[in-house]
Amino acid sequence: MARIAVIGAGMGAMAAAARLAVAGHQVTVYERSRTYGGSLGRYAHEGFAFDTGPTLLHLPAVYRDLFVKTGKEPLERCVEMTQVDPASRHLFADGTVLSLPNASRAGVVTALDGALGSGAGAAWGAFLDRARDAWDRSRRPLLEEPLRPDWQVLGRDPYPALRQRRLLRPARQAATVAEIGARELANPRLAALLDGYALSYGLDPAHAPAAAALLPYMEETFGSWYVSGGMRALARAVYERCLARRVEFVFGAEVAGVVEKDGRAAGVELADGTVAEAGQVVLGARPWPGLVPGQEPWRDGDVPVAPRPGQGLVPGRFLVLLSLRGARPADAVHRTLVHPGDGAAERAAVFGGRTAERPTVTVLRPDDPSTRPDGAHEAVTLTATVAPHGPVDWTEPAVRERYADVLIETAAAAVPGIRERLLHAEVRTPAETAADTGAEGGAVPAPALAGADGAYLHAANLTRLPGLYAVGGWSHPGGGLAHAGMSGALVAGLIVEGDGFRGSQ
């Protein structure tokens, strides 16, 4: 039995901790804040409650596997999950309304033909077929295996883009999300739909590789799930599973660095100077300068660790949490996306370090009694992808108020009379995300993607310092709840089975 120190109590870190404890290790988690869950926060105000991080779960099989491998109670006994249907509603600037059913390929094709015209469904269906090929080719190395030592092979894009012949000019293929929209989908509203998927994950469609097509494929194939009580309930369930496996948590314990002894990780040093010895250390946070004094466990050129030229800034999220008078209408949709008329202008602003005048706004209206004081009120969350704190000063009151007003004005298309119903509005920006999670600028990591010469990969789980491992959104396989859960499984496998572990079969 080894003593293992885990830095951070995010979802990936807790997933690793529970698995390691089941394997017989003595695990202690050191968390700088006063609670667990990382980005899965919860805000409450006068009977209203809101998620402040991810709001829907995709690939729930990742957490089903975690609960099966760490105890007798399956996931569904610990949390109540329901599929959101429709999965999403889309309001376009030209007045078009599109509702996409949950996990129904035929239903999506029919909905697209009905809203966008005959042929739109077939075009999107053919695109999803190609996205499925990309998923099949990259699923294991991107989700189910540690980042391979020859990670450069993942620099090739697995998406089988259509080869378009041109008279007297070389044939061309889509290499980015934006090019798929322009060359393969053709319909500008289909292109906006695809761009919206990329932007929701913090990816710039103009630069994100075509392999990002697997993100809408993943959502539309495996569905979108809501956890009753919000995603904080999922975090609590994982935390309680850790406690049941005798994982120890130390909250309010900021780690200053990793202790190195005889060429390997030997524990952690806390900000107050306390040293906690350990046989292995698991880092569940973004690496910072001086993490290991005198060493750089990750080096650019060895594994990707930061955005590279062309990838731009890593954006964050701007949220407006609305307490509304009046009951939630019976026909209200859980998730509505209001698309701007000029998506290119929005992308240029977000990835250029500015605020977009007309952002894509996601309106969340969960039908969950735990989010409101009674049936005569409704809790609504508005969210937009924005530049991180730094390029934009999200602590400036005038900036916060103006942008909150922009989101509320935009959301009125999805929630008529929203201003007249407003009781209270709480604003959360990348500045709050940075303070809560420690992520620089409040940036939110995107999932790992193949292609673009590896620019969209993340730091390997296995570092150059023996005994030090990386888990969570800033390491392989990247950001997102499902990806964080997979990173926990990968790190646990590397520690229990050794550095030669290549993932579960």
Side-chain angles (χ1 to χ4, degrees), residues 20 22 78 140 146 265 287 297 321 337 434:
L20 290 169
V22 167
C78 301
R140 279 198 62 81
L321 314 177
L337 279 78

Side-chain angles (χ1 to χ4, degrees), residues 325-328 369 372-378:
R325 64 170 62 89
R328 180 184 187 272
R372 53 187 183 255
D374 53 51
H377 295 85
E378 182 182 9

Side-chain angles (χ1 to χ4, degrees), residues 136-402:
D136 291 341
R137 295 174 184 178
S138 59
R139 174 176 56 86
R140 279 198 62 81
L142 281 180
L143 280 177
E144 299 175 355
E145 298 178 347
L147 189 65
R148 45 195 299 172
D150 60 339
W151 58 265
Q152 291 85 352
V153 301
L154 294 174
R156 295 192 292 270
D157 199 314
Y159 178 77
L162 295 179
R163 188 173 179 83
Q164 299 177 327
R165 298 183 180 279
R166 299 186 296 171
L167 184 65
L168 302 179
R169 288 184 292 176
R172 65 182 184 181
Q173 292 175 284
T176 67
V177 169
E179 289 177 354
I180 290 176
R183 299 175 184 177
E184 296 184 2
L185 298 178
N187 188 311
R189 290 165 297 184
L190 284 181
L193 180 65
L194 178 57
D195 285 356
Y197 276 108
L199 191 63
S200 69
Y201 284 95
L203 296 166
D204 183 354
H207 293 107
L214 61 82
L215 299 175
Y217 171 80
M218 180 180 71
E219 288 195 22
E220 295 190 15
T221 301
F222 303 107
S224 300
W225 299 75
Y226 177 74
V227 176
S228 296
M231 285 301 163
R232 185 66 182 171
L234 177 63
R236 182 172 62 252
V238 176
Y239 171 67
E240 290 175 349
R241 179 55 55 92
C242 286
L243 293 180
R245 302 283 78 83
R246 298 185 179 180
V247 174
E248 180 184 359
F249 286 80
V250 183
F251 295 107
E254 183 172 359
V255 173
V258 173
V259 176
E260 180 269 333
K261 183 178 180 181
D262 298 329
R264 64 174 293 112
V268 296
E269 181 178 357
L270 305 183
D272 63 5
T274 303
V275 173
E277 296 181 355
Q280 284 98 12
V281 176
V282 176
L283 174 66
R286 192 176 191 179
W288 62 86
L291 172 68
V292 183
Q295 289 199 29
E296 289 297 336
W298 295 271
R299 276 211 316 255
D300 195 32
D302 178 30
V303 290
V305 296
R308 295 186 176 188
Q311 190 174 347
L313 297 171
V314 180
R317 304 291 184 269
F318 187 100
L319 285 79
V320 186
L321 314 177
L322 301 176
S323 302
L324 303 182
R325 64 170 62 89
R328 180 184 187 272
D331 61 351
V333 174
H334 184 107
R335 178 174 58 165
T336 299
L337 279 78
V338 184
H339 297 270
D342 190 348
E346 177 188 19
R347 297 192 299 270
V350 171
F351 296 95
R354 308 186 308 278
T355 57
E357 292 301 319
R358 290 290 181 266
T360 300
V361 176
T362 300
V363 182
L364 301 166
R365 307 178 74 180
D367 187 10
D368 184 348
S370 73
T371 66
R372 53 187 183 255
D374 53 51
H377 295 85
E378 182 182 9
V380 174
T381 299
L382 314 180
T383 181
T385 299
V386 297
H389 180 53
V392 175
D393 184 1
W394 289 117
T395 63
E396 174 58 45
V399 175
R400 297 163 63 93
E401 292 173 12
R402 184 189 69 82

